[in-house]
Amino acid sequence: MMNIDVNNITLNYTKLGKGNPIILLHGNGEDLHIFDPLVDRLKLHFTVYAVDSRNHGDSTKTKDWTYEAMAEDIFQLIEKLQLKKVSIVGFSDGAIIALLLAIKHRNLFYKMVLLGVNLKPTDFKKNIYKSLVDEYEKTQDPLVKMMLEQPNIELEELKNIETPTLVVSAEHELFYRKGFKDMVKIMPNAKLKIMKNHDHGSYIINEAILYPDLMEFIE
């Protein structure tokens, strides 16, 4: 485990392997260890940085619960570690962070992989959104509130992202399929992969199922 001070907080991360850098960003309420099986494979080809986002894992707990702040954290990490030709794999919240970075910093990434990403809370299927509302009423969990209110990315903001991008959706996803298709249609260098017989997290959480696809796409 390693620590780095960025954006007035401390991020916890691991660094394993050798080769061009690749950053792995987990989803809401998780930590970097969801990627352990994947890291074991990727570290044979890349220098892998798996990061605990703010308010997650062993990173600093703050009162700022915004994807914009989380994105700035990762940008400063990249700058501070002087990472070049860096690729990024983001799952769910991690994919939102990656997308915000790609919008703001057009040439930041060599390759980008977005797993189960949404642009707005309205991308959730209606029954899923209702279950989140019910959960928040019971728990008042700020992480759930984030998902109910954020992100708020306009589809048009994606049209200038030239980074080669792999967008991945599960067959049984939390979000409507149309959102993924619209993203790939407007991004000039994006393609869509549907994970058959999987749900939002089953192909990535504590799994290395995506390893062959990631290797083919990034290399």
Side-chain angles (χ1 to χ4, degrees):
M1 292 293 181
M2 306 177 77
N3 291 309
I4 187 168
D5 293 330
V6 297
N7 203 18
N8 299 312
I9 66 162
T10 300
L11 289 180
N12 177 65
Y13 70 100
T14 58
K15 175 185 176 183
L16 293 166
K18 59 182 180 180
N20 288 331
I22 183 169
I23 296 172
L24 306 183
L25 300 179
H26 61 78
N28 190 293
E30 300 155 358
D31 63 28
L32 58 84
H33 291 294
I34 69 163
F35 291 118
D36 284 351
L38 191 57
V39 171
D40 284 342
R41 302 280 188 90
L42 292 176
K43 71 182 182 183
L44 302 176
H45 308 275
F46 304 97
T47 303
V48 186
Y49 297 84
V51 186
D52 281 337
S53 297
R54 67 164 60 204
N55 297 316
H56 292 75
D58 291 322
S59 291
T60 301
K61 306 303 182 287
T62 78
K63 293 182 179 180
D64 191 337
W65 303 84
T66 62
Y67 292 118
E68 285 77 13
M70 297 162 86
E72 181 61 24
D73 297 341
I74 300 304
F75 178 71
Q76 290 190 24
L77 176 143
I78 292 169
E79 292 283 288
K80 222 168 186 181
L81 296 179
Q82 299 182 324
L83 303 183
K84 306 298 180 185
K85 202 176 179 181
V86 59
S87 296
I88 192 162
V89 178
F91 169 56
S92 201
D93 278 20
I96 293 169
I97 294 166
L99 196 53
L100 287 171
L101 286 168
I103 291 169
K104 190 173 181 179
H105 308 280
R106 288 178 59 182
N107 299 311
L108 185 61
F109 300 126
Y110 172 63
K111 298 282 182 73
M112 179 167 63
V113 182
L114 305 175
L115 313 174
V117 68
N118 66 307
L119 302 184
K120 295 187 176 186
T122 50
D123 292 333
F124 278 108
K125 294 175 179 176
K126 287 184 179 180
N127 63 313
I128 302 295
Y129 187 84
K130 183 181 183 305
S131 69
L132 289 172
V133 170
D134 292 342
E135 183 179 351
Y136 182 65
E137 288 178 352
K138 293 176 183 176
T139 66
Q140 298 295 298
D141 186 342
L143 286 174
V144 177
K145 187 179 182 184
M146 275 183 67
M147 292 189 287
L148 291 172
E149 298 179 348
Q150 305 174 55
N152 290 288
I153 302 169
E154 298 299 332
L155 187 63
E156 282 293 307
E157 295 181 73
L158 277 58
K159 67 181 181 182
N160 294 322
I161 298 177
E162 297 178 355
T163 302
T165 302
L166 177 63
V167 178
V168 181
S169 169
E171 182 179 10
H172 308 293
E173 187 55 84
L174 300 177
F175 310 111
Y176 291 109
R177 181 74 57 84
K178 183 180 184 299
F180 295 98
K181 291 181 177 179
D182 288 345
M183 286 182 223
V184 171
K185 187 174 181 180
I186 200 168
M187 296 169 72
N189 294 307
K191 61 181 181 178
L192 176 63
K193 179 177 178 61
I194 306 297
M195 299 299 291
K196 298 292 185 182
N197 302 315
H198 283 283
D199 63 29
H200 181 66
S202 63
Y203 65 96
I204 189 65
I205 297 176
N206 301 319
E207 296 287 351
I209 294 169
L210 266 183
Y211 172 73
D213 298 289
L214 294 179
M215 288 302 301
E216 180 183 356
F217 177 69
I218 296 174
E219 291 210 314

